[in-house]
Amino acid sequence: MAKSVLPSLLAVLIFCTTLFGMYEARPHRRGPTPSTIARSASILGPYSVPLFNGTASLPAPPSSDSLKAITIGRGTQNYTCATSTSSSTPVSIGAVADLFDASVLLPFLSPKDGEEILDLLPAYLVTFPYEALANSTLPSLGQHYFEGPTSPVFNLEEGKIGMLNGAKAADIIAPPSSSPGPDGKGNGAVDWLMLTALAGSQNLNTAYRVHTAGGKAPKTCEGQRAVIEVEYAAQYWFYG
């Protein structure tokens, strides 16, 4: 492991230990207040979405857009199988994830350290129990879900920040070093994506899914159920 990674990894572990250590004391979920949203927006200036996976790049966001939110998505990529035999291949039916506000970490870090922390979080959080994350002090900023197998939706603060009905504009494979899933086990990390807004979107024009961890389906349906839920985490960046 490179020396430069060690301080940030330790910071992630300290942060997460503190965050999840409060799990028992937090019986009710609390989302961000308007002041939290405003404070988060004010510290996003030094940051820009990572586009390069080591061999290829996603297109950059339009120059007229500004960064509205940085979140960590945690949930499942979902697939269906026609049969439970090796002759069937899993077919994507979308995803479901909670979007947690990652920007609350950034005021305590330099931009360089902040970028490193953000890049490490998906691989760390894909392993952490979802229930602990959902009841932690990390604010929930919204939800990601699908309306139909090819229609992703991102709803940030019930539309107060914005809503994006997305269409895939570009994709590149996740780097080979990406976490394949919880505890470093799984079928691999799903692709990095650029999504653009369709009709019905509000205040958001572009979304990116990068630094993915897990989420890939098994190669065949052999021994699988009719519906497969594969744990994943990823950074989601929103521009508008």
Side-chain angles (χ1 to χ4, degrees):
M1 182 178 293
K3 290 183 179 179
S4 62
V5 175
L6 284 172
S8 292
L9 180 56
L10 289 173
V12 170
L13 293 175
I14 292 168
F15 158 71
C16 289
T17 299
T18 302
L19 188 70
F20 302 129
M22 300 181 70
Y23 171 62
E24 293 298 332
R26 293 291 305 278
H28 300 293
R29 190 74 184 95
R30 179 172 61 86
T33 64
S35 61
T36 302
I37 295 169
R39 185 169 64 251
S40 297
S42 70
I43 52 86
L44 297 179
Y47 294 88
S48 57
V49 60
L51 302 171
F52 186 58
N53 69 355
T55 58
S57 289
L58 293 169
S63 59
S64 58
D65 284 356
S66 60
L67 181 59
K68 300 298 185 184
I70 306 171
T71 69
I72 301 295
R74 177 70 166 85
T76 60
Q77 294 284 324
N78 303 321
Y79 305 88
T80 186
C81 283
T83 69
S84 59
T85 66
S86 59
S87 60
S88 290
T89 301
V91 176
S92 176
I93 53 172
V96 176
D98 278 339
L99 303 172
F100 297 93
D101 185 6
S103 68
V104 297
L105 308 177
L106 303 181
F108 309 103
L109 303 165
S110 69
K112 181 178 182 297
D113 288 341
E115 289 175 0
E116 199 166 272
I117 289 290
L118 290 172
D119 294 351
L120 289 167
L121 275 174
Y124 187 84
L125 294 182
V126 74
T127 295
F128 214 90
Y130 175 79
E131 291 78 8
L133 180 58
N135 287 280
S136 72
T137 57
L138 193 63
S140 174
L141 209 60
Q143 292 78 41
H144 169 39
Y145 54 91
F146 273 65
E147 293 183 345
T150 60
S151 301
V153 177
F154 301 88
N155 187 347
L156 301 186
E157 267 296 279
E158 298 180 350
K160 294 175 185 176
I161 296 175
M163 176 179 285
L164 186 130
N165 299 318
K168 185 169 72 173
D171 70 287
I172 56 178
I173 62 171
S177 59
S178 301
S179 170
D183 299 313
K185 302 174 183 178
N187 303 299
V190 288
D191 288 355
W192 293 19
L193 300 177
M194 175 190 186
L195 301 146
T196 52
L198 295 174
S201 299
Q202 302 172 18
N203 302 325
L204 300 174
N205 298 327
T206 312
Y208 290 88
R209 183 182 77 189
V210 295
H211 286 290
T212 52
K216 265 196 173 181
K219 291 182 178 180
T220 76
C221 291
E222 184 174 10
Q224 300 293 332
R225 298 178 178 180
V227 176
I228 308 170
E229 296 180 343
V230 183
E231 301 281 342
Y232 90 107
Q235 291 180 17
Y236 286 96
W237 296 63
F238 297 93
Y239 287 80

